[in-house]
Amino acid sequence: MSETLLSVRDLRVAFPTRQGVFEAVRGVSFDLGRERLGVVGESGSGKSMTGRAILGLVRPPGKVTADRLTLDGQSILNLPERKMRAIRGSHISMVMQDPKFSLNPVVKIGDQIMEAYRLHAGRGSGNARDKALEMLAAVQIRDPERVMDAYPHEVSGGMGQRIMIAMMLAPDPEILIADEPTSALDVSVRTEVLNIMDRLVRDRGMGLIFISHDLNLVAQFCDRVLIMYAGRIVETIEAKNLHNARHPYTQGLLNSLPRLDQPVKHLPVLERQDSWRDAPLIDESMETELPGGL
Amino acid sequence: MLTVEGLDVWFGYPPDRVDAVQDASFTVAQGESFGLVGESGSGKSTILRAIAGLIDTWSGRIVVDDQQVEGRRRDRAFHKTVQMVFQDPYASLHPRHSVDRVLSETLKLQGMDDIDRRVQRLLDDVGLGRGFRFRYPHQLSGGQRQRVAIARALAAEPRLLLLDEPTSALDVSVQAEILNLMTDLRAEHGLTYVMVSHDLAVVGHMCDRLAVMQGGRIVEVMKVEDLRQGAASEAYTKSLIEASAGYVRA
Ligand SMILES: Nc1ncnc2c1ncn2[C@@H]1O[C@H](COP(=O)(O)OP(=O)(O)OP(=O)(O)O)[C@@H](O)[C@H]1O
Ligand SMILES: Nc1ncnc2c1ncn2[C@@H]1O[C@H](COP(=O)(O)OP(=O)(O)OP(=O)(O)O)[C@@H](O)[C@H]1O
Ligand SMILES: [Mg+2]
Ligand SMILES: [Mg+2]
């Protein structure tokens, strides 16, 4: 792997609930280089929470702990909000799972993108409007002029998702955490949006954490994949080998996909095993001795 | 069960008027499952919203269960017959209402009894255990919220379900569970579905026929068998089918 941008060891996120403390993330460890790292796993397995914890966005009473959480060698664990905001503005961006929810509903889309751009490039930095139009066109928005003047409720689900991607890429981040960034896109627009992210990784050396339910897509688009179950990483594997995954959970996920060429009446579903919660990590490379894997 | 004829939907006024849907027509038989696929921003959600009575700027004909509807007016019987699951599960759940309240209020509104048992049954159906009953939306993951939204739509025991990307926020194993549940409900109760999805494999699994949309228009209505064979007549549909085969790095 290329040089390490982000290093995470034994990351945990816990919430007090009526039934006692609930650990949404239970000891996650990995390093991110200048690569496309896929994160897959079932609903509720802690994918989004891992991303939020890295960015300091877990709201109290949630608690984040880790043996290590470093960006370019500097610890970013539980930094004061002011410092964290500076990091979020310029070093790490996150495209949230629900884009329209993260946009300000009463501010025009164009104004929000221009603001994101100015924050990074400084006031009076050229023509923010042109830059914003350019970014909307890059994410395949058909009529960028209209969308600049629209409010978030006036755009479709997939347009909201692309607007959010344009905004998060405006500050030219070192690391992008993209949480289901293409789940509302039709396949042809999706390809264009993925190409943008791909170029940023290849040409500018960005690190990408790509959270997705789409196993086929992750297998084709990413370099490596982390598979999460119940708050832990249960398997790590080269993306191109995903279809030969060894963990029964990963295999179960793969089997439950509907296929155009093989119609069935009922789809196979996962038979979850309690033992998966704490079983040791299956690491393809088997080089690591770190619990939680790399 | 549903007829849409010459449907036009627009937003705003000239010169800023957006013609979101233009001259869309399709029919869905009782017990049929109909897919809507196509370009992002092509008007799929807008069609469902116009049927559900959430938009008043439309013209054309919409007939549900032999009743022609007008503007945004929908009577009680309509809401008993038709339920919608929205694309955006966050916006469609009240942030201060617990899962229990969302479901029991819907059940009460429909005049149902035995609320406690029904709530539990609905949660079981969508694969949410007991621990989730008293949670609030912000304490749920994306897929868990979507399952609450699906449970709420099922609570009314509707006969026509309008589903806008019902499983795109769900992981594949939960997706399989929900799709199986929907298959069974349709077989048992003769439900009718109109389902928007960008996932052609999901549409292929769930639907009998589908309409393909681009730029506000329906470019093609086809049988699912033709989708499986890749036998599309329109160039746009062909490109969609090709692109769905997978991502190829540029
Ligand atoms: N405020 C909270 N209090 C208690 N539990 C919470 C809270 N927020 C999230 N959770 C729980 O944390 C777990 C992990 O949530 P997370 O959002 O990371 O899931 P996810 O893997 O992203 O799932 P999805 O694919 O459905 O988005 C879930 O079981 C969720 O219910
Ligand atoms: N309230 C509104 N005001 C103005 N324009 C709107 C409004 N709602 C939708 N539109 C526009 O109508 C068009 C169709 O939107 P719609 O949400 O139906 O698309 P969609 O096919 O569902 O797309 P997606 O797959 O991305 O969800 C878009 O160009 C959108 O910007
Ligand atoms: Mg999530
Ligand atoms: Mg939509």
Side-chain angles (χ1 to χ4, degrees):
Chain A
M1 195 178 56
S2 56
E3 97 204 62
T4 301
L5 299 172
L6 182 76
S7 184
V8 180
R9 290 294 177 278
D10 202 27
L11 178 72
R12 289 169 187 272
V13 181
F15 291 94
T17 69
R18 287 185 184 206
Q19 291 91 3
V21 175
F22 173 75
E23 272 199 298
V25 180
R26 302 185 298 135
V28 160
S29 303
F30 66 92
D31 283 340
L32 174 74
R34 303 185 184 282
E35 61 177 329
R36 312 161 200 81
L37 178 65
V39 180
V40 303
E42 66 176 350
S43 175
S45 58
K47 305 180 297 293
S48 301
M49 210 47 85
T50 299
R52 298 182 72 93
I54 291 168
L55 277 171
L57 288 174
V58 174
R59 279 177 296 187
K63 266 205 158 49
V64 180
T65 59
D67 281 352
R68 176 157 97 214
L69 178 60
T70 57
L71 170 69
D72 299 326
Q74 307 283 319
S75 177
I76 55 166
L77 180 65
N78 295 322
L79 284 184
E81 176 56 22
R82 185 178 46 81
K83 288 205 170 141
M84 208 57 226
R85 207 175 301 139
I87 288 174
R88 284 201 292 268
S90 55
H91 296 285
I92 312 182
S93 283
M94 180 159 174
V95 177
M96 295 289 172
Q97 190 167 5
D98 193 285
K100 281 166 102 179
F101 192 69
S102 341
L103 290 167
N104 187 335
V106 297
V107 178
K108 285 185 180 172
I109 283 161
D111 292 340
Q112 298 192 49
I113 302 181
M114 290 192 287
E115 179 63 20
Y117 175 68
R118 286 201 196 99
L119 262 180
H120 161 68
R123 304 271 147 195
S125 50
N127 197 334
R129 190 181 165 82
D130 287 347
K131 181 73 188 170
L133 281 169
E134 193 185 299
M135 286 189 295
L136 286 176
V139 291
Q140 305 293 305
I141 297 281
R142 273 179 168 228
D143 35 9
E145 292 277 358
R146 165 173 79 88
V147 170
M148 285 287 282
D149 285 326
Y151 291 94
H153 76 273
E154 296 176 332
V155 299
S156 78
M159 288 160 78
Q161 217 163 34
R162 284 176 278 158
I163 289 161
M164 201 61 201
I165 291 170
M167 251 174 84
M168 289 303 125
L169 291 176
D172 209 355
E174 229 175 309
I175 294 174
L176 178 69
I177 303 176
D179 195 353
E180 300 281 356
T182 61
S183 66
L185 302 183
D186 67 87
V187 278
S188 40
V189 167
R190 182 181 82 182
T191 302
E192 297 301 325
V193 170
L194 291 174
N195 284 342
I196 297 176
M197 292 194 243
D198 192 45
R199 279 197 294 272
L200 289 173
V201 174
R202 273 188 314 184
D203 304 345
R204 289 222 319 269
M206 183 177 82
L208 175 66
I209 298 181
F210 189 83
I211 302 173
S212 175
H213 288 133
D214 191 333
L215 295 153
N216 289 325
L217 176 62
V218 166
Q220 287 160 333
F221 178 68
C222 294
D223 302 303
R224 276 193 309 148
V225 188
L226 311 179
I227 294 119
M228 288 189 70
Y229 180 75
R232 286 172 69 245
I233 298 173
V234 296
E235 182 167 12
T236 68
I237 193 164
E238 292 268 338
K240 60 176 190 295
N241 298 335
L242 184 60
H243 287 274
N244 305 318
R246 276 181 296 165
H247 200 291
Y249 168 63
T250 318
Q251 290 170 355
L253 288 176
L254 288 162
N255 289 338
S256 53
L257 285 167
R259 293 182 56 159
L260 266 184
D261 55 343
Q262 292 177 3
V264 290
K265 181 148 185 295
H266 282 104
L267 296 164
V269 297
L270 264 182
E271 302 288 338
R272 295 173 184 75
Q273 309 287 324
D274 259 351
S275 61
W276 295 348
R277 285 181 59 85
D278 298 295
L281 169 88
I282 299 187
D283 183 355
E284 190 187 30
S285 60
M286 286 297 167
E287 288 160 3
T288 171
E289 275 130 46
L290 277 159
L294 267 188
Chain B
M1 184 76 208
L2 172 70
T3 302
V4 173
E5 225 173 69
L7 179 69
D8 286 325
V9 188
W10 61 92
F11 298 103
Y13 304 93
D16 298 326
R17 173 167 144 156
V18 179
D19 290 297
V21 178
Q22 293 165 59
D23 196 24
S25 301
F26 59 92
T27 57
V28 185
Q30 162 81 41
E32 192 183 13
S33 177
F34 189 82
L36 272 180
V37 307
E39 200 181 25
S40 169
S42 62
K44 305 181 296 293
S45 300
T46 303
I47 290 183
L48 294 194
R49 295 170 61 87
I51 298 169
L54 300 167
I55 300 175
D56 46 17
T57 48
W58 60 271
S59 65
R61 234 160 61 88
I62 299 177
V63 183
V64 176
D65 207 16
D66 297 327
Q67 301 282 320
Q68 184 159 340
V69 299
E70 310 289 339
R72 303 176 59 141
R73 260 213 334 274
R74 299 291 182 273
D75 55 15
R76 245 189 110 90
F78 179 91
H79 292 292
K80 187 112 191 86
T81 311
V82 184
Q83 287 286 318
M84 178 158 171
V85 173
F86 293 90
Q87 185 168 10
D88 184 348
Y90 290 65
S92 69
L93 293 178
H94 192 294
R96 288 185 205 293
H97 289 182
S98 68
V99 173
D100 179 69
R101 180 160 171 197
V102 168
L103 297 181
S104 36
E105 279 185 359
T106 310
L107 288 165
K108 279 182 206 143
L109 214 69
Q110 301 294 338
M112 302 212 184
D113 52 7
D114 210 1
I115 304 287
D116 185 64
R117 193 186 51 84
R118 282 181 198 268
V119 168
Q120 198 49 57
R121 172 77 203 270
L122 284 167
L123 289 176
D124 286 344
D125 279 348
V126 296
L128 287 176
R130 272 148 223 277
F132 292 97
R133 182 157 174 181
F134 296 98
R135 289 215 196 168
Y136 290 87
H138 75 269
Q139 297 171 319
L140 301 173
S141 77
Q144 290 162 348
R145 284 181 227 226
Q146 184 65 328
R147 283 184 269 173
V148 175
I150 292 171
R152 177 179 58 185
L154 294 176
E157 297 184 354
R159 287 164 44 227
L160 171 61
L161 266 174
L162 307 175
L163 303 155
D164 198 351
E165 304 272 8
T167 60
S168 68
L170 302 179
D171 71 275
V172 291
S173 62
V174 178
Q175 167 172 284
E177 285 162 22
I178 300 269
L179 294 182
N180 287 345
L181 169 71
M182 286 171 41
T183 302
D184 293 342
L185 285 172
R186 180 156 83 107
E188 280 164 33
H189 305 285
L191 300 190
T192 308
Y193 299 144
V194 180
M195 179 167 182
V196 173
S197 176
H198 59 88
D199 187 334
L200 296 186
V202 167
V203 170
H205 176 65
M206 290 301 290
C207 299
D208 307 308
R209 289 185 306 136
L210 62 144
V212 182
M213 293 192 68
Q214 186 190 24
R217 294 184 180 273
I218 293 182
V219 297
E220 179 163 11
V221 176
M222 65 197 295
K223 291 209 184 82
V224 148
E225 290 79 61
D226 293 333
L227 173 69
R228 283 217 190 88
Q229 310 294 326
S233 34
E234 293 297 315
Y236 178 68
T237 315
K238 287 192 184 122
S239 73
L240 264 191
I241 297 176
E242 250 163 52
S244 76
Y247 175 79
V248 183
R249 218 166 264 173

